[in-house]
Amino acid sequence: MRAVVCRSYGPPESLELDDVPEPVPAPGQLLVRVHAAAVNFPDVLFIAGKYQVKIPPPFIPGNEIAGEVLAVGAGAPFSPGQRVSGTTFGAFAEQALLDATQATVVPDDADFAEAAAFGVTYRTAYHALRSTAAVTAGDWVVVLGAAGGVGLAAVDLGVAMGMRVLAAASSPEKLELCRQRGAAAVVDYDREDLKSRIRELTGDAARVVLDPVGGAYAEPALRALARGGTFVTLGYAAGSIPAIPLNLVLLKDICVRGMEIRTFMTDYPDEAARDIAELTRMFATGTVRPYIGARFPLSQTAAALRHVADRKVLGKVVIDVA
């Protein structure tokens, strides 16, 4: 089968498309013919050897798939031919193994690209809103990087949950997309004063900031929070980790929390199970479906990763495999 292989750490352009042996499902696993694989910013970090957890090369990157079950390992409660999606490793390939515990049946009215794109970013955003920040309907929520994968997922979910979402992004095109997805207000943080505009647009009532971007945007957004607000750090797509003056936390009684999808499941298993069940229902009923801003064939996986690395993405990027 064809697969994209990282043979040594480096940029997306160093990846190779090669023929590799077909995987064989172990007990509890599914062998899936991959129809679509979603691209996430951590994929760029994995192949560069810059993620918190390093995988020694060679490896097949990517961790979100949707496709058709080809074979079933012993004890896995699925059947060949079923449409499934889930999180695994080795997604950028024609076939991939998926633990049955990580597999979800794809609704008939959802396509494979939507199913693949709904996993990591929407779980990250939902855990951050529902469990980490405990936001309630009517609250003002500020989303940085609001047109990216996690950011637009947070906009979609915040709107669906009855929150007032202020979307902050870096271009008119990105802000218009956020408006179309239901954001109550928008800020161009490369052309406007982020702190003053958040305070003005929310009436000094910003309850939560979700920040998957970091860099120079974090501190002004934190300064704009209402007293007693919550700042949730989710990642550093801007390329630098911000240093926050702790006196701001003290003087405004602000709570700063982190949420990492990789460890949330094990650290908070009850909350994670509840959140995933609620989120699965939202997808199955069509309450929320992801916006896919770009699609690439498997042969152009490097270009897809470059698109994400250069922050050109609107919503999600998907690899069409089959």
Side-chain angles (χ1 to χ4, degrees):
M1 70 169 189
R2 294 185 309 156
V4 173
V5 182
C6 175
R7 300 201 179 280
S8 60
Y9 293 136
E13 293 75 17
S14 65
L15 295 173
E16 300 177 12
L17 182 63
D18 204 351
D19 288 320
V20 301
E22 295 181 1
V24 177
Q29 288 186 324
L30 310 175
L31 176 63
V32 177
R33 174 182 287 122
V34 181
H35 284 257
V39 181
N40 297 291
F41 185 74
D43 296 328
V44 178
L45 301 180
F46 269 118
I47 65 173
K50 295 181 179 179
Y51 195 66
Q52 293 96 321
V53 176
K54 289 183 172 57
I55 299 175
F59 62 87
I60 300 170
N63 65 2
E64 286 188 281
I65 64 169
E68 178 186 353
V69 177
L70 292 176
V72 178
F78 288 85
S79 302
Q82 282 188 286
R83 289 156 40 94
V84 297
S85 63
T87 304
T88 184
F89 205 82
F92 300 156
E94 291 179 325
Q95 297 179 20
L97 295 174
L98 178 62
D99 285 344
T101 57
Q102 299 295 318
T104 302
V105 175
V106 176
D108 291 339
D109 65 340
D111 65 28
F112 287 120
E114 288 178 329
F118 194 73
V120 172
T121 54
Y122 280 80
R123 287 205 306 272
T124 299
Y126 196 73
H127 292 327
L129 290 167
R130 177 78 161 89
S131 295
T132 305
V135 188
T136 57
D139 285 343
W140 272 108
V141 177
V142 178
V143 180
L144 305 186
V150 172
L152 198 59
V155 172
D156 289 345
L157 292 169
V159 171
M161 296 163 73
M163 302 161 197
R164 292 178 290 176
V165 177
L166 190 158
S170 61
S171 74
E173 180 187 16
K174 292 178 178 180
L175 295 178
E176 178 56 30
L177 175 60
C178 294
R179 287 191 189 95
Q180 292 173 7
R181 304 294 283 190
V186 298
V187 174
D188 186 330
Y189 49 37
D190 281 350
R191 294 168 179 81
E192 301 179 83
D193 182 271
L194 183 58
K195 182 185 76 170
S196 63
R197 288 295 283 156
I198 290 173
R199 296 181 67 176
E200 176 186 347
L201 290 166
T202 65
D204 244 352
R207 162 81 174 78
V208 170
V209 169
L210 297 190
D211 180 16
V213 181
Y217 308 113
E219 184 175 331
L222 183 142
R223 287 180 179 272
L225 271 170
R227 183 171 182 80
T230 301
F231 184 97
V232 184
T233 178
L234 298 170
Y236 311 102
S240 61
I241 299 174
I244 299 297
L246 284 178
N247 64 309
L248 298 177
V249 177
L250 182 152
L251 293 172
K252 299 188 71 172
D253 188 25
I254 289 170
C255 176
V256 178
R257 296 198 60 184
M259 205 294 294
E260 184 196 19
I261 188 68
R262 185 178 60 87
T263 55
F264 184 84
M265 308 283 288
T266 52
D267 290 346
Y268 304 99
D270 293 340
E271 291 88 343
R274 177 202 63 194
D275 291 357
I276 290 172
E278 293 173 354
L279 192 58
T280 300
R281 284 194 295 271
M282 293 175 77
F283 184 73
T285 58
T287 303
V288 177
R289 292 286 167 88
Y291 177 84
I292 298 170
R295 301 171 77 146
F296 295 80
L298 184 64
S299 61
Q300 295 182 20
T301 298
L305 286 160
R306 174 54 61 194
H307 195 68
V308 171
D310 291 346
R311 297 176 61 197
K312 295 179 179 178
V313 62
L314 297 177
K316 290 289 289 187
V317 172
V318 170
I319 305 295
D320 290 312
V321 181

